[in-house]
């Protein structure tokens, strides 16, 4: 939900049916199931309502929205508030609770949505919905200085006596957010080690995603002189190096292509057999994934494929001996680069996450002042991206100043630091700035729509600042060829 006092909340019912509690989470919480379940009475109406929502999204009228599913309307409203640390709602259910049955109104799971629309588009919204033949009801508005949802509804006594009477229910958003999250915490206790479940529960609402961009960042491809329509070769060559179990190579290849590289796919068998020597390649990338299914440990088998195959080792050694090359390792590729010592980081190792489980989440990184080809110009930024790994903990035995740190997790505590890395390090680079490795996946966050959260005032961005890292690499190669 957007905390905008000049906006309204609307309920749109997709079911065209009476509110029913059979099969609902509410019924199950009482040890019941029930047989009177909500249905979709008119499939054509359902489709029209769905398409109306899609068109309003395209028009940019919808500030926020949430489907009505498990838990019913009250869960929908609460979850819309859970995403914020400030603000509440005032809800009036007189238009959708005409029989005075507040339990059905709040907990029935008839398919539908709640959307937030700016009052600027209020009349356009109403005209459009009437034109589409889709019913709607205004049910409330955001309240900026509150952390409650105040629900006003007609009392059942008023229906019996035909006298207008109202009742009010108040829901504490923060207290119910803890209740809502507690189930996840109880399950997490059975999966996480080292008290990490309790730490996650303590921190889950204290580590909001933060983003901070360079002031000159426009979000447009033209800023970097690149285009998705490029079809001609540039002569700046990059290679994706893959092993059995690698994934993410296509996203990475597209990022490189978009930034201006000609991209080549290289399997380890190509290097082992000598079919590929990397002699004409300017940049190599080791992608994320689970090489050899992590049977020997993350990237251990992949590292062995280089160390114990003479032609592959020779190709790699010659590549890193050149002064006109760059390399990037992401996730499994980061583990490989650390295992092979390709960044020169003193005593660096990759260990199991402190939670001893696979961590997959959207987090934010801070980019410190650093000396690297790819990230140097992003110093001072805070950017969002994804992590997905089980052995992502940087073990760095020397002082932090001994390492060229190019990215740090935005908060010290778990789960924002998902693995317990020393100094909250998410990525490091060689001293000369050319060979960089990091656990999070920047290639999965180069477009705003790939981000789990992105600043609302930058909806028109074509790309995120992560593309700059790839453009920096291409420009460096052009200058050093």
């Amino acid at each position: 939900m957007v905390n905008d006092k000049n906006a309204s909340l609307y309920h749109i019912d997709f079911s065209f049916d009476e509110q029913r509690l059979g099969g609902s989470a509410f019924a199950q919480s009482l040890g019941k199931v029930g047989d009177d379940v909500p249905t979709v009475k008119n499939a054509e109406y359902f489709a029209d309502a769905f398409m109306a929502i899609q068109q309003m999204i395209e028009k940019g009228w919808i500030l926020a929205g949430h489907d009505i599913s498990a838990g019913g309307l009250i869960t929908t409203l609460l979850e819309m508030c859970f995403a914020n640390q400030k603000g509440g709602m005032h809800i009036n259910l007189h238009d959708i609770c005409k029989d005075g049955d507040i339990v059905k109104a709040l907990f029935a799971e008839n398919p539908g949505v709640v959307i937030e629309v700016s009052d600027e588009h209020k009349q356009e919204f109403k005209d459009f919905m009437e034109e589409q033949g889709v019913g709607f009801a205004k049910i409330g508005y955001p309240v900026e200085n509150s952390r409650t949802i105040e629900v006003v509804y007609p009392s059942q006594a008023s229906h019996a006596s035909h006298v207008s009477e109202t009742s009010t229910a108040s829901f504490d958003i923060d207290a119910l957010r803890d209740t809502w999250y507690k189930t996840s915490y109880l399950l997490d206790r059975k999966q996480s080690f080292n008290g990490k479940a309790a730490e996650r529960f303590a921190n889950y609402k204290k580590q909001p995603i933060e983003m901070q961009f360079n002031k000159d960042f426009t979000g447009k491809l033209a800023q970097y002189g690149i285009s998705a329509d490029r079809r001609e070769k540039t002569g700046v060559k990059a290679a994706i190096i893959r092993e059995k179990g690698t994934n993410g190579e296509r996203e990475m290849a597209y990022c490189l292509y978009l930034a201006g590289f000609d991209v080549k796919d290289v399997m380890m068998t190509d290097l082992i057999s000598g079919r590929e020597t990397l002699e004409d390649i300017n940049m190599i990338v080791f992608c994320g994934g689970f090489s050899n299914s992590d049977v020997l440990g993350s990237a251990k088998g992949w590292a062995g494929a280089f160390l114990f195959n003479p032609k592959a080792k020779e190709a790699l050694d010659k590549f890193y001996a050149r002064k006109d090359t760059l390399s990037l390792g992401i996730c499994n590729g980061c583990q490989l680069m650390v295992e092979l010592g390709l960044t020169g980081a003193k005593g660096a190792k990759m260990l199991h996450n402190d939670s001893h489980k696979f961590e997959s989440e959207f987090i934010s990184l801070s980019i410190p002042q650093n000396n690297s080809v790819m990230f140097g110009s992003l110093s001072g930024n805070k950017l969002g991206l994804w992590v997905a790994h089980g052995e992502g903990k940087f073990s760095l035995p020397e002082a932090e100043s001994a390492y060229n740190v190019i990215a740090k997790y935005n908060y010290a505590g778990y789960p924002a630091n998902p693995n317990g890395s020393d100094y909250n390090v998410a990525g490091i680079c060689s001293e000369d700035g050319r060979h960089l490795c990091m656990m999070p996946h920047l290639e999965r966050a180069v477009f705003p729509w790939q981000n789990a959260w992105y600043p609302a005032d930058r909806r028109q961005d074509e790309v995120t600042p992560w593309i700059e890292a790839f453009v920096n690499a291409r420009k460096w190669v052009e200058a050093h060829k």
Side-chain angles (χ1 to χ4, degrees):
M1 182 192 69
V2 178
N3 292 323
D4 184 351
K5 63 181 180 181
N6 297 313
S8 298
L9 297 159
Y10 295 91
H11 174 272
I12 301 175
D13 176 36
F14 284 16
S15 72
F16 217 72
D17 190 20
E18 295 179 14
Q19 294 169 330
R20 307 175 192 272
L21 292 173
S24 66
F26 175 78
Q28 293 177 56
S29 71
L30 298 176
K32 303 180 185 299
V33 177
D35 56 6
D36 187 21
V37 301
T39 62
V40 174
K41 279 196 170 182
N42 187 319
E44 185 177 349
Y45 177 81
F46 181 98
D48 289 343
F50 178 83
M51 291 309 301
I53 295 296
Q54 306 312 305
Q55 291 179 57
M56 286 191 288
I57 292 173
E58 291 179 3
K59 293 174 184 290
W61 293 352
I62 297 180
L63 297 175
H66 199 304
D67 65 301
I68 299 171
S69 55
L73 175 62
I74 186 58
T75 302
T76 295
L77 297 174
L78 284 165
E79 288 182 349
M80 290 181 75
C81 293
F82 290 165
N84 287 332
Q85 291 183 307
K86 298 179 180 178
M89 293 177 177
H90 177 85
I91 302 295
N92 189 320
L93 298 183
H94 277 73
D95 287 343
I96 64 173
C97 183
K98 294 180 179 179
D99 63 357
D101 192 336
I102 186 60
V103 174
K104 281 186 178 179
L106 291 179
F107 295 102
E109 296 176 4
N110 296 52
V113 297
V114 173
I115 61 172
E116 181 181 0
V117 178
S118 171
D119 290 344
E120 176 187 355
H121 300 295
K122 179 168 57 177
Q123 193 58 49
E124 292 173 289
F125 163 75
K126 291 179 178 179
D127 293 343
F128 175 76
M129 294 298 277
E130 289 172 2
E131 179 186 315
Q132 298 299 311
V134 177
F136 65 93
K138 179 177 176 178
I139 61 171
Y141 50 85
V143 179
E144 292 182 334
N145 300 315
S146 171
R147 282 303 278 169
T148 61
I149 296 179
E150 300 292 334
V151 178
V152 178
Y153 60 95
S155 67
Q156 288 184 315
S158 69
H159 287 273
S161 63
H162 301 285
V163 176
S164 179
E165 296 182 17
T166 62
S167 298
T168 304
S170 181
F171 298 87
D172 185 320
I173 295 168
D174 292 327
L176 288 169
R177 190 182 186 193
D178 282 340
T179 301
W180 173 81
Y181 198 85
K182 187 176 180 180
T183 302
S184 297
Y185 160 65
L186 294 174
L187 178 61
D188 198 11
R189 286 195 310 181
K190 299 179 181 297
Q191 299 175 324
S192 298
F193 290 79
N194 297 321
K196 290 303 173 182
E199 189 174 345
R200 184 194 296 273
F201 192 25
N203 287 334
Y204 82 90
K205 57 188 176 184
K206 299 177 182 177
Q207 301 172 336
I209 299 295
E210 293 183 319
M211 293 195 189
Q212 179 178 308
F213 303 163
N214 287 334
K215 291 182 179 179
D216 62 349
F217 176 69
T218 67
K220 306 301 179 185
L221 290 168
Q223 178 179 3
Y224 301 106
I226 58 179
S227 169
D229 298 325
R230 175 176 71 90
R231 295 296 180 267
E232 69 281 358
K233 293 184 177 181
T234 64
V236 184
K237 298 181 180 180
I240 303 284
I241 299 183
R242 292 195 289 134
E243 177 61 302
K244 300 182 294 294
T246 301
N247 62 39
E249 69 277 358
R250 297 198 176 201
E251 299 101 308
M252 183 62 73
Y254 187 73
C255 291
L256 292 165
Y257 161 77
L258 188 61
F261 284 94
D262 300 332
V263 189
K264 189 175 187 179
D265 185 40
V266 177
M267 280 296 295
M268 284 302 297
T269 49
D270 296 325
L271 294 168
I272 290 169
S273 67
R275 288 191 299 269
E276 175 62 57
T277 64
L278 305 178
E279 291 177 354
D280 63 335
I281 301 299
N282 305 110
M283 181 174 182
I284 59 175
V285 181
F286 305 102
C287 288
F290 307 93
S291 56
N292 301 292
S293 302
D294 285 348
V295 169
L296 302 175
S298 295
K300 298 293 194 297
W302 195 357
F306 277 110
L307 295 174
F308 302 116
N309 288 283
K311 290 182 180 178
K313 188 175 187 306
E314 181 182 7
L316 194 69
D317 289 345
K318 286 184 176 180
F319 180 87
Y320 277 91
R322 289 161 48 195
K323 301 298 183 182
D324 62 345
T325 61
L326 301 175
S327 65
L328 171 66
I330 299 296
C331 198
N332 201 209
C334 174
Q335 294 160 340
L336 173 70
M337 289 184 69
V338 172
E339 184 73 18
L340 293 175
L342 297 178
T343 68
K346 302 174 183 177
K349 292 182 180 180
M350 304 304 302
L351 305 179
H352 284 283
N353 299 341
D354 281 352
S355 64
H356 283 211
K357 74 173 185 180
F358 187 84
E359 297 287 346
S360 179
E361 59 188 296
F362 189 79
I363 54 144
S364 50
L365 294 186
S366 59
I367 310 298
Q369 190 66 41
N370 70 91
N371 167 37
S372 74
V373 170
M374 295 186 72
F375 283 24
S377 68
L378 294 172
S379 298
N381 279 216
K382 292 183 178 181
L383 306 174
L385 78 178
W386 299 92
V387 294
H389 57 252
E391 296 181 37
K393 179 177 180 177
F394 274 97
S395 174
L396 304 172
E398 304 292 331
E400 183 177 355
S401 59
Y403 304 97
N404 187 5
V405 176
I406 52 87
K408 301 182 71 167
Y409 298 110
N410 203 28
Y411 301 94
Y414 177 83
N417 177 343
N419 45 53
S421 288
D422 291 340
Y423 313 120
N424 307 312
V425 168
I428 56 177
C429 189
S430 58
E431 288 187 12
D432 60 10
R434 295 192 292 133
H435 305 297
L436 183 152
C437 67
M438 60 187 290
M439 288 306 300
H441 290 266
L442 76 164
E443 80 281 7
R444 296 179 184 174
V446 294
F447 299 112
W449 54 265
Q450 292 176 302
N451 290 244
W453 181 85
Y454 199 72
D457 60 351
R458 303 205 62 109
R459 287 185 177 183
Q460 303 307 312
D461 283 1
E462 296 172 343
V463 287
T464 74
W466 287 120
I467 193 64
E468 188 167 312
F470 294 100
V471 173
N472 288 341
R474 187 256 302 165
K475 288 182 176 179
W476 185 92
V477 170
E478 288 176 330
H480 290 79
K481 285 186 68 176

